Amino acid sequence: MRSLLLSSLCALLIALQPVVAVWPIPKKFKTGNTTLFLHQNLEIKYNDNLTQYTFGYEAATFDSHDIVRAGVSRALSTLFGEQFVPWMLHKPGDKFEPDVNGNLKWIKMLEITQTGKDDSEKILKPKAGEVDESYNLTLSADGEVKLTAVSSIGVLRGLETFIQLFYQHSAGTFWYTPYAPVEIEDEPKFDHRGLLIDTSRHFFPVDHILRTIDALAWNKMNRLHFHVTDSQSWPLEIPSMPELHKKGAHHPAFTYSPTDVDRIFKYGAMRGVQVYFEIDMPGHIGSVALSHPELITAWNARPYDAYCAQPPCGNFKLNSTKVDEFVKRLFDDLFPRISKYTSYFHTGGDEIKYKAYTLDDTVKSDKEDVLKPLLQKFFDKSHKQVRDAKLTPIVWEESVEKYNLALEKDVIVQTWTGDGKVQNVTSKGYGVIDSNVNYWYLDCGRGQWVLFDNNEYARGWPFNDWCGPTKSWQRIYSHDPRANLTAEQAKLVLGGEVAAWSETIDPLNFDPLVWPRASAAGEALWSGNKLESGQNRSQLEVAPRLFEWRERMVARGIRAAPLTQLFCTQRSPEECLWENPN
Ligand SMILES: *[C@@H]1O[C@H](CO)[C@@H](O)[C@H](O)[C@H]1NC(C)=O
Ligand SMILES: *[C@@H]1O[C@H](CO)[C@@H](O)[C@H](O)[C@H]1NC(C)=O
Ligand SMILES: *[C@@H]1O[C@H](CO)[C@@H](O)[C@H](O)[C@H]1NC(C)=O
Ligand SMILES: *[C@@H]1O[C@H](CO)[C@@H](O)[C@H](O)[C@H]1NC(C)=O
Ligand SMILES: *[C@@H]1O[C@H](CO)[C@@H](O)[C@H](O)[C@H]1NC(C)=O
Ligand SMILES: *[C@@H]1O[C@H](CO)[C@@H](O)[C@H](O)[C@H]1NC(C)=O
Ligand SMILES: *[C@@H]1O[C@H](CO)[C@@H](O)[C@H](O)[C@H]1NC(C)=O
């Protein structure tokens, strides 16, 4: 009886707790119920030095003060610009806003202390774990805000949390938090928290990529894996070989110039989102055939399914000095421009069908014992150049799982084909970035795009894609890349990435397919999907925050999809809980 009473009391307390939409949830998080207002001319100090909120300020240098000043300006511009009045989180008719007449309590000062000194090289392009992203944030009931972090990137993470505590008032230019006093301690569980975009199947303009970087930073995600080329198109301008994009782009305007590349990589670095390129090879490189046919085998070979995973096919020839010279020229052109801003380069290596090499005049074989040594040489040569440019090579899992190559142990392996792969790759001693298709492929479950003529119609029916069903936010959230690992293996997991392969994604539907489902992975990677006790975080706690976060991202201009009906966002989560009727 007593425990029943106690548990129903607990349930009542949870139900009465206000929605507190910090996403991802901090490691330690205490809130109160005092309301404080924020002035637009709030005084801000950084290490005992006054700093300014300047609308639209972009840092010109990577000096710590400049990174922080730009971060402060961005955070406050975002808050003052988003106009997030959270009516959709309250029942119609409920009075949820504070009174703005009378004596308001104001936030007095935002005091930022950076306890460490930024390493000027690493702050731009940290490898996993090289920059401390932790921060502490306190907001006292009488309006003192203290943000402490070791690095300037930690300051940026804390500023994002800070602004998520505030709402705009429907009466106009009032911003308030109902949650003071606040005490937060926070740090990420995983060092690598990313999104993969694919600009070969569809082109995404620079502005689209920049706003995606902003959204990643809001979600405390810190990597943008930029799968820039593939067999479908070559949008990347390589000044020493302009024929590549001139013949390989989908449209003359669909290219990334060196200025665009610099802008994207720098924009990310400034926000603590490291951008890195993937140029997938030796498969997935058919678009090079449009300008350099002599380098490519099986270009647009039919039936495609025999030679590659999807049309059009095209692999680098595997025993060709011309290919070696080309790759060298490509890397010599590209690496000096990107290595300022990134520590990684992904050389792909996935989905090679050996039959493609029966058409390769330098090999003419599909035998593993012939191809494996050639693949080994190909990977080793390209990785040597990656390392010579002071970049760390990343590859897809097939290289060590399927072709069984012996790669150096500095190579990071990206797993994707399903459960058990992280276990196997870490047990071989490689660092892992996990993009398990069963959870973290955002493109899955929306139907087939390959065509089936009448004679093959039955084979295609009912026209599902290969990796359905659609990954719901709950399923995405449930995935822990360290599941089932020994402590030793777990140490090798850097983190993960959600993937937005773009056969059927372009700038028109990108936002609703990526957001807020990528946010679900973002929290699983930053906060972990379990409580400290080891229990799974409850959907009753997680969902209201994610629903609120979706609304805030929409207010910021991201066309994030709704995850539930308004009836549910307006009420306590219990009202949309499934219960066993028996
Ligand atoms: C605010 O929280 C305090 C301490 O938990 C509690 O005593 C008080 O009743 C709360 N006030 C309101 C208005 O909810
Ligand atoms: C203090 O601010 C001034 C003006 O913005 C700047 O020149 C100076 O470098 C800052 N000092 C520190 C220690 O950040
Ligand atoms: C945050 O507070 C905890 C507990 O006091 C402390 O151990 C940690 O160093 C603090 N972190 C920062 C970035 O100040
Ligand atoms: C690779 O090319 C060299 C030089 O043309 C040739 O001698 C060698 O037999 C080729 N290797 C294979 C496996 O075809
Ligand atoms: C973990 O192990 C369980 C039980 O063997 C299995 O069902 C599940 O697929 C594994 N998960 C991953 C992500 O490997
Ligand atoms: C992992 O490796 C074992 C041993 O080689 C193999 O039997 C198993 O199929 C592999 N698991 C996966 C998911 O590839
Ligand atoms: C916790 O989540 C994991 C991963 O989805 C799941 O396998 C497990 O059943 C959940 N545990 C409980 C008690 O629901």
Side-chain angles (χ1 to χ4, degrees):
M1 183 61 202
R2 231 182 92 180
S3 79
L4 194 75
L5 234 162
L6 205 67
S7 71
S8 51
L9 191 69
C10 282
L12 191 70
L13 281 177
I14 288 168
L16 285 181
Q17 250 179 17
V19 173
V20 180
V22 174
W23 190 276
I25 192 156
K27 186 176 161 184
K28 288 194 182 155
F29 189 19
K30 268 200 253 168
T31 56
N33 52 20
T34 300
T35 295
L36 295 175
F37 287 79
L38 188 68
H39 257 302
Q40 268 183 301
N41 52 5
L42 170 77
E43 201 165 303
I44 304 157
K45 263 192 190 170
Y46 169 58
N47 288 350
D48 294 327
N49 204 348
L50 282 180
T51 192
Q52 278 162 295
Y53 158 48
T54 315
F55 182 83
Y57 182 76
E58 274 292 330
T61 69
F62 286 92
D63 161 71
S64 307
H65 191 120
D66 224 12
I67 295 177
V68 168
R69 182 174 164 201
V72 164
S73 299
R74 229 167 21 239
L76 293 178
S77 308
T78 300
L79 175 62
F80 297 137
E82 69 189 11
Q83 304 187 348
F84 183 47
V85 176
W87 59 266
M88 75 298 288
L89 306 176
H90 301 275
K91 259 202 266 194
D94 273 9
K95 176 178 156 35
F96 63 88
E97 294 183 303
D99 209 336
V100 291
N101 300 309
N103 233 346
L104 306 184
K105 281 181 156 177
W106 294 95
I107 302 241
K108 293 179 188 128
M109 156 91 82
L110 167 57
E111 209 177 317
I112 301 168
T113 308
Q114 187 182 331
T115 57
K117 208 167 149 26
D118 290 337
D119 174 324
S120 59
E121 273 273 301
K122 286 180 181 164
I123 201 72
L124 283 187
K125 46 171 190 173
K127 282 190 230 164
E130 282 185 347
V131 159
D132 188 326
E133 295 178 272
S134 72
Y135 68 90
N136 290 344
L137 177 67
T138 61
L139 166 52
S140 71
D142 63 357
E144 302 278 351
V145 189
K146 292 199 159 70
L147 171 58
T148 314
V150 177
S151 74
S152 56
I153 302 303
V155 173
L156 302 187
R157 304 294 178 237
L159 286 167
E160 177 56 42
T161 300
F162 176 66
I163 61 171
Q164 288 181 21
L165 296 167
F166 291 85
Y167 303 99
Q168 182 154 359
H169 199 287
S170 58
T173 50
F174 292 95
W175 292 271
Y176 67 94
T177 178
Y179 306 130
V182 178
E183 268 178 63
I184 290 174
E185 276 178 49
D186 204 7
E187 65 181 354
K189 278 249 183 307
F190 291 90
D191 293 321
H192 187 113
R193 308 177 301 277
L195 166 70
L196 176 153
I197 59 166
D198 162 12
T199 59
S200 178
R201 274 77 177 210
H202 275 106
F203 181 77
F204 293 83
V206 174
D207 282 349
H208 178 97
I209 297 174
L210 301 185
R211 59 196 280 291
T212 300
I213 289 173
D214 280 319
L216 287 167
W218 303 336
N219 283 277
K220 296 189 172 64
M221 295 171 82
N222 64 358
R223 298 287 186 267
L224 180 69
H225 173 165
F226 193 157
H227 181 92
V228 62
T229 62
D230 207 300
S231 287
Q232 286 74 12
S233 77
W234 186 284
L236 182 63
E237 293 185 22
I238 299 296
S240 63
M241 296 187 278
E243 66 280 7
L244 279 170
H245 75 269
K246 285 192 175 150
K247 298 206 169 149
H250 278 127
H251 182 278
F254 284 7
T255 70
Y256 302 107
S257 69
T259 312
D260 294 337
V261 168
D262 193 78
R263 188 159 166 231
I264 292 167
F265 277 61
K266 189 171 174 187
Y267 192 91
M270 199 57 85
R271 285 157 180 75
V273 179
Q274 188 173 164
V275 183
Y276 71 90
F277 271 145
E278 174 185 358
I279 296 187
D280 201 345
M281 58 181 75
H284 287 282
I285 194 114
S287 57
V288 167
L290 297 166
S291 53
H292 296 263
E294 72 284 2
L295 305 180
I296 301 296
T297 183
W299 165 237
N300 210 1
R302 312 295 304 186
Y304 79 82
D305 215 10
Y307 301 100
C308 67
Q310 61 175 224
C313 295
N315 292 9
F316 271 142
K317 291 181 181 176
L318 213 46
N319 185 25
S320 153
T321 51
K322 284 188 185 145
V323 167
D324 295 342
E325 285 157 18
F326 174 87
V327 172
K328 181 167 185 331
R329 201 156 151 199
L330 171 66
F331 286 177
D332 281 348
D333 188 311
L334 184 63
F335 288 170
R337 293 188 278 114
I338 59 174
S339 54
K340 272 188 275 188
Y341 304 122
T342 189
S343 286
Y344 297 112
F345 186 79
H346 200 308
T347 63
D350 55 326
E351 297 188 313
I352 296 169
K353 288 197 179 165
Y354 290 162
K355 198 173 176 192
Y357 296 109
T358 59
L359 306 179
D360 177 351
D361 57 0
T362 71
V363 181
K364 290 206 181 87
S365 172
D366 59 0
K367 298 281 175 300
E368 179 154 48
D369 59 332
V370 175
L371 297 178
K372 201 182 132 175
L374 293 172
L375 282 168
Q376 180 76 50
K377 268 194 220 160
F378 184 86
F379 276 70
D380 287 346
K381 271 187 278 195
S382 62
H383 287 175
K384 180 178 182 308
Q385 288 177 69
V386 173
R387 287 185 196 101
D388 286 349
K390 298 202 160 52
L391 299 168
T392 296
I394 309 180
V395 295
W396 291 106
E397 68 176 42
E398 286 95 321
S399 50
V400 296
E401 281 291 290
K402 192 156 173 230
Y403 329 136
N404 296 311
L405 305 182
L407 303 179
E408 300 284 334
K409 290 300 188 303
D410 64 331
V411 176
I412 295 165
V413 176
Q414 185 163 17
T415 47
W416 67 282
T417 63
D419 293 13
K421 283 297 177 190
V422 177
Q423 222 162 352
N424 280 11
V425 173
T426 52
S427 67
K428 289 179 178 158
Y430 296 101
V432 165
I433 296 166
D434 186 32
S435 293
N436 188 328
V437 63
N438 296 327
Y439 306 92
W440 283 0
Y441 269 36
L442 300 175
D443 50 306
C444 296
R446 296 175 308 113
Q448 181 59 274
W449 58 269
V450 177
L451 306 181
F452 294 84
D453 203 356
N454 285 346
N455 57 334
E456 294 293 352
Y457 188 93
R459 198 188 295 272
W461 179 264
F463 309 111
N464 291 325
D465 60 46
W466 67 280
C467 59
T470 309
K471 314 309 171 202
S472 63
W473 77 262
Q474 298 93 327
R475 181 174 180 141
I476 292 169
Y477 195 86
S478 77
H479 183 52
D480 175 0
R482 292 193 178 121
N484 303 341
L485 303 187
T486 64
E488 204 56 30
Q489 293 167 339
K491 273 190 221 147
L492 288 167
V493 180
L494 279 53
E497 292 176 359
V498 281
W501 296 106
S502 290
E503 286 83 357
T504 57
I505 302 181
D506 77 359
L508 278 182
N509 64 350
F510 179 93
D511 277 10
L513 286 167
V514 169
W515 307 111
R517 289 187 304 153
S519 308
E523 177 160 299
L525 287 163
W526 176 278
S527 321
N529 58 12
K530 296 179 199 66
L531 298 169
E532 253 174 85
S533 62
Q535 251 192 337
N536 294 338
R537 291 184 196 275
S538 164
Q539 290 184 7
L540 291 181
E541 186 280 318
V542 174
R545 281 186 302 106
L546 185 55
F547 298 163
E548 181 169 343
W549 179 228
R550 180 266 171 172
E551 301 299 335
R552 198 183 284 268
M553 283 199 288
V554 169
R556 292 180 184 184
I558 295 292
R559 297 182 306 274
L563 299 175
T564 188
Q565 32 181 12
L566 271 174
F567 179 89
C568 300
T569 67
Q570 289 188 321
R571 285 164 181 79
S572 83
E574 283 78 3
E575 298 199 41
C576 294
L577 180 65
W578 187 80
E579 288 160 316
N580 191 333
N582 303 311

